[in-house]
Amino acid sequence: MAQHLVTFHLDDPALGGHAPRPPAHVPTGTLLTEAARASGVEIVQPCGGQGRCGRCAVHITNGEVRRRSTLRLSAEDVAAGYALACQSVVEGDVSVTVPPQEKIERRLTTDRVVAEVEVPIGYDARAMQTIQRVSLALTPPSLEDQTDDWSRLVTALRQQAGVEEVDVSLALLRRLGGILRDANWDVTAILDTHYAPRTTLLDLRPGEPPLFGLAIDIGTTTVSCWLIDVISGQVLAQAAEYNGQIARGEDVISRIIYASQNGRGAEMQTLVIETVNSLLAAACEKAKVDPQDIFKATIAGNSTMMHLLLDIPASSIRLAPFVTAINHVPPLRAIDLGLKINPEAAIDCLPGVASYVGADVTAGVLSSGMGDGEQLTLFMDVGTNGEIVLGNRDWLVTCACSAGPAFEGAGVVNGMRATRGAIEEVWINGDTLEPTYRVIGNAKPRGICGSGLIALLSEMFLAGVLDKGGNLNSSLMLEEDDLHFVTQRPAAAGGAVRGRTRRVRPGEHGPEYVVAWANETWHGQDIVITHVDADNLLRAKAAIYAGYTVLAERVGVPLESVERFLIGGSFGKYLNVEKAVQIGLLPDMPWGQFQFLGNTSVKGAYLALLNRSERERITQIAARMTYIELSADNTFYDAFTSALFLPHTDLARFPTVAEALTKS
Amino acid sequence: MAQHLVTFHLDDPALGGHAPRPPAHVPTGTLLTEAARASGVEIVQPCGGQGRCGRCAVHITNGEVRRRSTLRLSAEDVAAGYALACQSVVEGDVSVTVPPQEKIERRLTTDRVVAEVEVPIGYDARAMQTIQRVSLALTPPSLEDQTDDWSRLVTALRQQAGVEEVDVSLALLRRLGGILRDANWDVTAILDTHYAPRTTLLDLRPGEPPLFGLAIDIGTTTVSCWLIDVISGQVLAQAAEYNGQIARGEDVISRIIYASQNGRGAEMQTLVIETVNSLLAAACEKAKVDPQDIFKATIAGNSTMMHLLLDIPASSIRLAPFVTAINHVPPLRAIDLGLKINPEAAIDCLPGVASYVGADVTAGVLSSGMGDGEQLTLFMDVGTNGEIVLGNRDWLVTCACSAGPAFEGAGVVNGMRATRGAIEEVWINGDTLEPTYRVIGNAKPRGICGSGLIALLSEMFLAGVLDKGGNLNSSLMLEEDDLHFVTQRPAAAGGAVRGRTRRVRPGEHGPEYVVAWANETWHGQDIVITHVDADNLLRAKAAIYAGYTVLAERVGVPLESVERFLIGGSFGKYLNVEKAVQIGLLPDMPWGQFQFLGNTSVKGAYLALLNRSERERITQIAARMTYIELSADNTFYDAFTSALFLPHTDLARFPTVAEALTKS
């Protein structure tokens, strides 16, 4: 097949303008995104390479490509040489300039603080933990007793520890003789007793080795990892980071489409495994733990993330009738997935319920405790998807809606995770339209996290910067003579001028509001919220609001009768309820009924990791939950459309907000 | 580290003398054997690279090497530039000539005939076989039934086949959704029920797939493989071949030493797996079977072979107190070993008893039936090792002795396996000393197999070509005037001249006897038996004779009270009892008490493959056998030394032979 030379230039100011990359030699028919990767250039594909989002547009400066689709490009763009990298095919030598890539990348690897996680009261590793260590004293072999090493060990396990049935891997068998002799026949066996009486030997060590475990939540946007001492139950370190798959699609649908192409399932798996490996390495370093001493990992995550983690085809999840390949994953070993912990470590993937209600929700329900009491409880897990569970200890119904990653700081120009440098709270002066903000860690701001975005939306709305429809009020922009006025009176530069403000200004994608000026920020660039950002946030909150209201309607429970409103998700902890009600994300209920639980998914994984009964309860929860398919009729769509306003088309649903609007 | 240039020349007449090989660049300290391998030259190391056998001697024609040992070389050899490749280290540029390599290599891949193996009477795959196929009709998913694929299958297995507990590999889970949809939800599940109620799903297929299995015997010298239709029980094809490890040591001790060096365990595993893969590929091709339809392999072999197959360190086998790492190997999958059959196929390694009584013997005892009746039976499995079992259904004792590979045709200059072209029977005219021989397949002879070697030894002894001590009678060699006589009278060239014969002549390693002249043979070269060959054969038979006599003595049972004498091993089937008694390999008992069973090990594997009860009986046999360590005192050595004669030091033990000697 003919080979072509493809040369990429990065249009990156940080690299001094057009930085050339080593050219790639590729055969006819290669996608530009693939050619770019061959040149070491990663072009983000938020829609998963479907040609839908238009964000992989590149500039063909020399030669020509075949455009399979130009959906998001205007005729002028195409005439000027622009092409969608995910939809353009190399058919000759070509030079390509890649515009600055939207940064959906790692910012920080640890959360703002190590949340204080309390070890469950009465935790008793010997009684509750599936990973056990057993000290054994073996009689060395002799000419009188030529029993083989493995039988000798199995007999000792039976006689000294009451273990009747032991599985072992070939890899560990290979090491057996050496370990026994090096330890002079006094060893500690590390056992996985999850499937007792069937037991698995995970390792053999001299002395009394420590035992560690990992609780992991694989989110579409964010992956969280806790390192746990399974003897004491204590959380030793926590780490979180964007999922390495994020540049291959921002939502689960885009990821499924991307992964379903030939060979990309393995690529997606590698990306998320690399994320988990880097997180666990960071956690181990912090806590000074040897990853080889980690013998168990309990994993939660939505169904798509679980399939992609295991490289199990996920296409059936997005196509009617929307079924997963598997909800209850059999026991695995770390080596099956390439996790860099003890290769024999037990990998326990928690069970999900349906395509869009996965193990993140079952784990969340467990850790929320909503299935234990009589109170009618609504539990929401807000991540890239919003999953909602309604019920109590007698019944549980659940549904899901696609919120997008906006509240996790992705898909928003200056969005970021709730880590050091994130603006987490904003107030806007109604007169001057000047903002005040609070930054995590009291650092110079680097971006805005979910709670900051909600606050910002609410404040902009109440100050009149945003209208009810979520549009930036462009009449607030300075006009030419205002600029003159400002130049003459520098002291007034920060404030509103004749009812207008330079905070509102035209940007690349329509009007934008400047939250922080370049001279205040960590990176020396303005931090803004754009019209597109506001629209994304509005759609996210509308999807969630529509989700829980429709769910309550379906089961005939008025929203008012809900006694507790539990909120999980990474932003949950830092959220200002008042502001979340003001934008219509949360219903207008007494604030005391809301409770923020943080990452309920990883917490559920933690509880299941520690205690076999809690693990069993997650299976029971999964069995008890009734899934309701929102896509079955138009009710959800109607509710979503009505919620695409601040706070809602029907202001009567938000009496306290109506009151605040009157005052402001 | 300094790099050196090592150039090898092969002194191979077939290549027209000195054939140069591409030179190798190796660092200081590289062994010549390693450097040779880097040049694509394999130097045989029958002793496993210990410097004991001297058969890897090479000629250094330029430059110098450091000789760590010159044990088998004379001072003259060393002065002339000879060095042991396994003991010489490169420290500078060097040129090496490699003498013609003794050919211990593959000759033929199939046995003389497909032995007629009868399917056990009453074989019923549904009742006896652990591999089962189950047709399932699944209801396709719908919006009303969004059950995940795996749960749907598990439910069908429970409801339609009564299967309660199913394991599955991640690899098969990945293929699940595609298979179910391609098959339109009508599939046949292939299950491994060996550990029922715990069941493993091996594959899913549309229609009614065939099910095949392999019975494999890994011998030190020869690997045998039977391909079996597990539904009918029929053996479809058989194949056998030298074990690919043979150039790394001819006996188990040499192999263990070789394998214990860094990284060589994996090399040894690869070699034997390659042998098995080539055998099964040949069997599949012959029977027109797709290897992906093979779902089970039952493997027998001695303990060392089993360890090397699994790459489990075997060093403890050869060092006091002589224990194995494992006798009862846990269930494995084909993919664990790299067998090129269905990757999920169940691999069942049969259980052994001790370091030198392995699964080949337990399988052999099963297939011999000696453990079933009351008759006192002696069972011998003669391979590279000789294992002996004595007893009946009430008790079983066992021991092992090292016979070497001579009876398998290896370690003998013109030895070969009992395949087409092998001389399997020889008669020598006592007057002319001219031989007559029978060749397997009525082909031109290529070499001599075990039964031929025994016949040859016996005939040479009775004709006076060999003396009682196994020495070739050099007084039979032609002298100078005989040669003149022969030249003058060509018609007499084949016969004895003045009581002498040109059949006996000086060879490279002392005197040799010519069995077939070059013009009669397949390869156009003389087929001979050398003094060294005769010595190897004598040592082999002495070890076996000493083994069973000492075993009988130890348990206080006179050899005469043995009612049946069962002989397993690859030569067994074609052996002439009279001649085996004449050389003192078998005791001088009524011939009717001997029974030749052929390869009892692979036959036992076959029975265990078919029937779960037979498999269970092998475990019971292993538990019942009492191992007796012959090395514990000098009795064995004394018996061995006494047996190093034809037929024995004590001719009174062999009355029929004494009689024959009187006649001849």
Side-chain angles (χ1 to χ4, degrees), chain B residues 420-505:
Chain B
R420 188 178 161 81
I423 294 174
E424 59 168 347
E425 180 66 287
V426 183
W427 302 268
I428 294 179
N429 183 307
D431 296 326
T432 64
L433 305 185
E434 283 298 288
T436 315
Y437 51 77
R438 192 175 72 215
V439 179
I440 296 175
N442 283 322
K444 281 194 167 187
R446 303 154 63 99
I448 317 169
C449 68
S451 62
L453 289 166
I454 287 167
L456 190 55
L457 214 59
S458 157
E459 290 287 306
M460 285 166 76
F461 173 53
L462 290 178
V465 178
L466 275 185
D467 69 13
K468 186 178 151 73
N471 304 300
L472 270 135
N473 186 347
S474 39
S475 70
L476 296 175
M477 286 187 213
L478 292 192
E479 290 171 2
E480 208 160 318
D481 56 338
D482 296 330
L483 286 170
H484 177 74
F485 182 79
V486 169
T487 317
Q488 298 301 311
R489 299 180 51 187
V497 176
R498 306 180 194 173
R500 296 194 281 270
T501 172
R502 62 173 195 165
R503 294 269 173 186
V504 179
R505 68 185 186 191

Side-chain angles (χ1 to χ4, degrees), chain A residues 146 148 150 174 310 324-325 629, chain B residues 146 148 150 174 310 324-325:
Chain A
Q146 292 178 320
D148 60 289
W150 174 241
R174 288 177 178 142
L310 305 176
T324 58
E629 179 68 53
Chain B
Q146 291 177 321
D148 60 289
W150 174 241
R174 287 178 179 141
L310 305 176
T324 58

